[in-house]
Amino acid sequence: MRRKSQGRSDRRRKDAEFQQLPWRSVVNPYPPLEFLSADQIEAIHDASLQILEELGVEFLSTRALELLKGAGAEVDLETQMVRFDRGLVMETVAKAPSSFTLTPRNPERRLTVGGGRVCFSTVGGPPNVHDCERGRRAGNFQDYCDFIRLAQSLNIVHYIGNQPCPPVELPAESRHLDCYVANVLYCDRVFQCSAIGAERAVDGIDVMAIARGLSREEMAGDPGIMTNINCNSPRRYDGAMSDGLIAMAEHGQGVVVTPFTLMGAMTPVTVAAALAQQNAEALAGIALTQIARPGAPVVYGGFTSNVDMRSGAPAFGTPENAKATIAGGQLARRYGLPYRSSNANASNVVDAQAAYESEMSIWSAVLGGANLLYHAAGWLEGGLTASFEKFILDAELLQMFAEMLLPIEVDTASLALDAIRDVQPGGHFFGSPHTMERYETAFYQPMISDWRNYETWEEAGAPTATERATAVWKQLLEDYEQPPLDPAIAEELDVFVRRRKEQIDRAAA
Amino acid sequence: MRRKSQGRSDRRRKDAEFQQLPWRSVVNPYPPLEFLSADQIEAIHDASLQILEELGVEFLSTRALELLKGAGAEVDLETQMVRFDRGLVMETVAKAPSSFTLTPRNPERRLTVGGGRVCFSTVGGPPNVHDCERGRRAGNFQDYCDFIRLAQSLNIVHYIGNQPCPPVELPAESRHLDCYVANVLYCDRVFQCSAIGAERAVDGIDVMAIARGLSREEMAGDPGIMTNINCNSPRRYDGAMSDGLIAMAEHGQGVVVTPFTLMGAMTPVTVAAALAQQNAEALAGIALTQIARPGAPVVYGGFTSNVDMRSGAPAFGTPENAKATIAGGQLARRYGLPYRSSNANASNVVDAQAAYESEMSIWSAVLGGANLLYHAAGWLEGGLTASFEKFILDAELLQMFAEMLLPIEVDTASLALDAIRDVQPGGHFFGSPHTMERYETAFYQPMISDWRNYETWEEAGAPTATERATAVWKQLLEDYEQPPLDPAIAEELDVFVRRRKEQIDRAAA
C-alpha cells in the first residue's frame, strides 16, 4: 500500500506497539494429527493397564492410599504401592468430564478446557529470570508481578501458569500467598495454583473465591482455578503432590495430571514404552481425582520428551518429543479427556534454536489436539528460566496459530472473480476495491516480525527479533493498566493473606 | 549417560561435526493436513475453471500460442490471451503422471517426486549471499560452488535448486553453463536448470546427459533434471518462461509450474481468491506441458503468501501463507499431481524470526503433503539472499522432520514392559539393558541444537545457534570431498561448455 497517505502511515506506526489480536477462544476446527493407528493405541492402552495391574504406582500419601483402598484398588500400606484392576481404572476414569469451564474474576476471561479449544498459559516454575537488559538472575517478586502484568496485557495469554518465577526474597512457606494475590490484583484471568500440599491448593481456591465474591463451596460447583500435578516418574506420586491433587479435586477445581517422563531417564528410550508408562501414571492420577470427587474437572497431561544420551541433559522440541505429543493426544482422546501439552525448548538464549524448538512443540501440540498449552509464553532453558523476550516471541507464535486456525472462507465474495476480472495480466491488486475494503484486516499483523527491506532494516540498527521483543515488553509494562477491582475485595484479600501468614508463622514456630 | 567412559565421549565429540542422518527418501506416511472441505475444494476448482474459460491467461510466446491453439484452446493471437474450455483443461491435465523419477549421475541419489515422498532442495534464485564472517555481498562463482559443495555434504539436501546464487562476475549469457557444470562436478544429485528460454533449458539437459553418459534422447525417457516455471501473476506467462517450459516438457524433463501469487499484490487479499487464481494459472501451465508432450513429468507448484499491507513488502511463513500451502496441497491432489511448496521466510538475519517463519513454512508444506520443498536450505530475506548459516539451520530443521516422520514402532520390544518392571519407583533408566542396547540411535542427534546447561554453555562463549551454524558450514567445506567422476566425462563436459560459449559469443556478436 505504498500509495497511501502519510497520515495513515503515521497513525499506524504510533499504534504499532499495541497492535495485537483481540481476546479469543482459540479453536482447532480440524481433525487432530494422528501418528498412531487404532491398533497401536490399543496396544499402548493395554500395556499401560498391565503396568497398573502388575507393577503398580507408588503413592507416598496416607490420604491417597486410604482413598484408593476404599475404592477397591490393591493397596500395600507398607510399600505404599497401589495396583489397579483394569475395570476399576476404566470405570473411574470414565467419570471425568470431557470438558469443563473455569471462571476467573472477569467472566469474559472464562476458559473452556476441552472440545477442540486450546488455551495458552504463561510459563510456570522456572527458578531464574532473564531479560536482555538486566541479564539472568534468580526470580523475585518484582519480576513475578511484571510477568503477571504482561499476561494481562497480551490477549493471547489465556491464563497464568503456576509461578512464572519464584519470589525468592519472600519467605518460602508463604510466598505462594503473595503470588496468588498478585495474580488476581494484576490480572483478571484464571491462574494455576501450587498444589505442593493441600494447604497451598486451598489457599489458591480461597484467593480466587474472594476475588470472585464467592464462598469456597460456591466455587466447588463453578471452578476458577487449576493446578498441575506431576507424577515423579517412574511410577511415584509424592506425598505433597498427592495431597494437593486430592484437595483440588475435592474442592471441584481443575487438576492437570502430568507424568514427568523424559525418555532415556524416567522411562525407557522407546516412544512406545514412554507412552505406555505415561499413560499408566496419568490414568492412576486421574483415577484418584475421580475417587476424591466423581466428575471433578481433570486433564490428561503429556510431558514426554527425551534426554540427550551423550550428557543426560533434557531436550525439548525434538522429533521424539513431537511424536510423543501427537500420540499423547490420541491417548487422551481414547479416554474422552482434555489434553495438556507444553511449549518447550532447551535453548539457553532467545535465538533460532529457541524458536524452532518452540515451533516443534506448538505445532505438534496444537495440531495434535492439545486443549491446554502450558508454558506457552516465556519458557527458556529447558524450563530453568522465565524470559521476558521469549514471552513476547511466544505471544507472536501463539497469535500466528490463532490466526492460522481460523477457517478459510470460501464464498462468492472471497472468491472475488470480479476483482480478478478487473485486473489485467501484469497488473496488481493494491488498488482494487476488493482489496481496499479488506486490507486492514486481511492479514495477520505481527508484533515483532520485521518485513522491512534489508537497507531500511540496517539503517534502523539491524535489530534481531529478540531485540525487537525487548522493546515490546518494555512498552507493554510502561502502558500496563491494572484491571479494576472492588476495593472491598482488595481489602478482603489483604485480611485473608495477613491471617494466613500469621497461621503459617505460628505453625512454623 | 554421565557415567560412560571418557573414551567414548571423546570419540563422539570428534565425530560430532560430521554427525548427520544418512541419505534417505523422506516419506510422510500420514494423511495430509486438510483445511478445506470437499465442497470448498470444488468451489475453488470451479472458480478457477471459470477464470480459464472467461478471462483466460496470457502467453507471450508464439510457440506456446501455436501449441495451445492446436490443442483446441481459444487463442487470440493479437492479445496473446488464451481461454480454455474446462473439458480441455481436465482432459489435458489428466495426462500428467502422479509421480515420476529423476536420476542424476549417481543413481543412488535418484528422486521419486510424488507418492507421499518429500524432497528437499537448496535455495534457488537469490541475487545476494551472506555469511556471518564475510557479510552480505552479490553472488559470485566461488560462493556458488561452495553452496553446491554444502549440498553434496549434507544428506538431507536431496537436490540443487536453480542458482543458489548468481555468479555475477561471469558473462550473463553463459554463466548458466558454468553453474550446470559445477552442479555435476561438485555434486552427484539432481539439479534444477534455468528455463529462461529454451536454450538454457536444453543446455541443462545436455550437461546432465553428458554426466550420466546418455544421449539427449535417452534422457527424455529417463529424466534427470527439473526446472521451475513461474507464472507472472496475474495471468501471464512470459515468452522466455513459456519457451523454457515447452523445451523441458518436449525433452521429457520435470517442469514445476508455480504461479507467483502474493496475496494483496498479484492476487486479491482473500485466500480463496488467491487459490482460485493460483489454480487457474497452474492448470494453464500444466496443460501446456501435456500438450507439448503427453505424460511429461510435471508438478503443481503453490507459492501463495501475502504482502505486508502497510508497506507492500512480501511476507513469508505467515498464517495466511500456511493456510494457502495446506489448501494448495489439497488442490494438487484434486488433480492427482505432485505438489511443490517452499521453505520461506522474510527475516533479514538468521534469528528467531528466520526460524519461526521457516518452521511455519515447513510444517504446513510437509504435513500438507508437499512432494518438493523448494528453497528448503539457505533462503533468507524473502529470497533476496542465500545464507550459509541459514543453510545449516535449515538442514537441522529438515533432519528433524525426516526423523519425526519415521513411524512410531509399537511392539513387545518397544513397549519394554520388562524394562519398566526392572526400574523401581524413583529409579532411572540410564543403565537399563533396554537403554544400553538402543541409546546410540534412539534419539535424533542434532547438528546445531545446544543442550548444554547454561553455565557450561556460557563458559564455551555463549554461542547462539547461528554462531554454531557458522562453525558447521566452515567445517563441512573444509572436509568436503568431490564425488568421483570419470575423467572422460569431465573432458566431455569441458568440450561441451567451450563449444556452447563460442556459439553464444558468436550469436551475440
Side-chain angles (χ1 to χ4, degrees), chain B residues 437-457:
Chain B
E437 284 159 20
R438 291 167 176 81
Y439 75 91
E440 296 206 66
T441 56
F443 306 131
Y444 172 63
Q445 297 277 3
M447 294 193 299
I448 59 168
S449 295
D450 191 331
W451 298 331
R452 291 177 291 188
N453 67 40
Y454 188 88
E455 291 71 19
T456 312
W457 169 80

Side-chain angles (χ1 to χ4, degrees), chain B residues 119-148:
Chain B
C119 305
F120 302 132
S121 81
T122 71
V123 64
N128 304 303
V129 174
H130 182 272
D131 68 71
C132 290
E133 300 214 326
R134 293 166 295 182
R136 190 173 185 262
R137 56 202 181 266
N140 62 65
F141 193 59
Q142 173 64 38
D143 286 327
Y144 183 93
C145 294
D146 281 345
F147 278 114
I148 304 306

Side-chain angles (χ1 to χ4, degrees), chain B residues 241-275:
Chain B
M241 282 293 203
S242 301
D243 293 344
L245 176 155
I246 293 165
M248 288 290 283
E250 283 178 335
H251 288 86
Q253 307 303 308
V255 176
V256 184
V257 179
T258 313
F260 183 48
T261 37
L262 296 179
M263 293 180 271
M266 297 85 141
T267 77
V269 288
T270 44
V271 174
L275 290 169

Side-chain angles (χ1 to χ4, degrees), chain A residues 1 309 353 356 449 468, chain B residues 1 270 309 353 356 449 468:
Chain A
M1 304 303 292
M309 292 311 291
Q353 182 186 337
Y356 67 70
S449 295
R468 297 190 298 272
Chain B
M1 302 302 292
T270 44
M309 293 310 291
Q353 181 185 339
Y356 68 70
S449 295
R468 297 190 298 273

Side-chain angles (χ1 to χ4, degrees), chain A residues 227-351:
Chain A
T227 195
N228 186 70
I229 299 292
N230 281 129
C231 179
N232 261 347
S233 304
R235 296 189 287 124
R236 172 181 286 167
Y237 281 89
D238 76 21
M241 281 294 203
S242 301
D243 294 343
L245 175 154
I246 294 166
M248 288 290 283
E250 284 179 332
H251 288 86
Q253 305 303 307
V255 175
V256 184
V257 179
T258 312
F260 184 48
T261 38
L262 295 180
M263 293 180 273
M266 297 85 141
T267 77
V269 288
T270 43
V271 174
L275 289 170
Q277 187 186 312
Q278 167 192 296
N279 201 54
E281 293 170 348
L283 292 179
I286 292 163
L288 181 55
T289 65
Q290 301 306 306
I291 290 165
R293 182 187 178 104
V298 66
V299 176
Y300 181 115
F303 196 84
T304 294
S305 190
N306 59 291
V307 297
D308 176 5
M309 292 311 291
R310 290 182 292 189
S311 66
F316 299 100
T318 64
E320 296 79 21
N321 188 186
K323 284 179 178 185
T325 297
I326 289 165
Q330 294 184 258
L331 288 166
R333 292 190 296 279
R334 165 73 178 74
Y335 308 107
L337 296 167
Y339 179 47
R340 171 237 148 148
S341 189
S342 307
N343 171 12
N345 74 90
S347 185
N348 286 304
V349 58
V350 184
D351 64 350

Side-chain angles (χ1 to χ4, degrees), chain A residues 310, chain B residues 6-19 452:
Chain A
R310 290 182 292 189
Chain B
Q6 193 60 30
R8 207 200 64 232
S9 163
D10 279 356
R11 196 181 70 240
R12 284 186 157 250
R13 193 164 309 123
K14 188 173 170 297
D15 292 343
E17 305 291 350
F18 311 94
Q19 194 168 318
R452 291 177 291 188

